């Protein structure tokens, strides 16, 4: 059974952003800019499978084994997909935050 990622589910929490950007000074303005950039990157740059897996992992608090069972894929495929999604996010966030 595949789940669809809704736009409303892409309202990111602080922990997800910190996982993506790392920890640092708590600056609300920069956090808001990073949240907007992250939202745009995820909605525009990730595949639907990458979004789906990230949503299940970060927002439904499922582990890689559970996600694999739900999607009918192996745990290692879930891990690789998450890794590629994070790499894509990091790449775009680095570019977005520098410019």
């Amino acid at each position: 059974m595949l789940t669809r990622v809704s736009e409303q589910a892409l309202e990111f929490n602080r922990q997800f952003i910190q996982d993506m950007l790392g920890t640092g000074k708590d600056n609300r303005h920069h956090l808001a800019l990073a949240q907007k950039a992250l939202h745009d990157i995820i909605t525009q740059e990730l595949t639907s499978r990458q979004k789906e897996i990230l949503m299940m992992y970060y927002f439904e608090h499922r582990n890689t084994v559970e996600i694999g069972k739900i999607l009918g894929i192996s745990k290692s495929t879930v891990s690789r997909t998450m890794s590629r999604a994070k790499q894509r996010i990091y790449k775009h966030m680095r570019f977005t935050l520098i410019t």
Side-chain angles (χ1 to χ4, degrees), residues 16-29:
F16 183 77
I17 292 171
Q18 287 177 347
D19 286 351
M20 293 293 109
L21 299 177
T23 55
K25 291 183 180 179
D26 185 15
N27 184 319
R28 290 178 190 226
H29 175 70

Side-chain angles (χ1 to χ4, degrees), residues 9-88:
L10 296 173
E11 295 300 321
F12 297 104
N13 63 30
R14 178 182 219 101
Q15 183 61 48
F16 183 77
I17 292 171
Q18 287 177 347
D19 286 351
M20 293 293 109
L21 299 177
T23 55
K25 291 183 180 179
D26 185 15
N27 184 319
R28 290 178 190 226
H29 175 70
H30 289 120
L31 185 61
L33 291 175
Q35 188 172 13
K36 170 75 170 102
L38 183 58
H39 178 272
D40 292 346
I41 290 165
I42 290 178
T43 57
Q44 297 170 16
E45 302 296 333
L46 297 185
T47 67
S48 59
R49 177 56 60 102
Q50 289 171 335
K51 287 184 237 184
E52 183 175 41
I53 288 173
L54 287 179
M55 290 300 120
M56 291 175 138
Y57 187 81
Y58 283 101
F59 298 102
E60 295 177 16
H61 306 288
R62 297 180 185 274
N63 63 41
T64 55
V65 173
E66 291 174 318
I67 295 168
K69 285 180 182 177
I70 291 167
L71 299 177
I73 58 178
S74 70
K75 175 187 175 221
S76 64
T77 299
V78 172
S79 295
R80 280 193 312 273
T81 303
M82 281 183 51
S83 178
R84 288 182 185 134
K86 288 178 183 181
Q87 287 172 354
R88 188 174 272 184

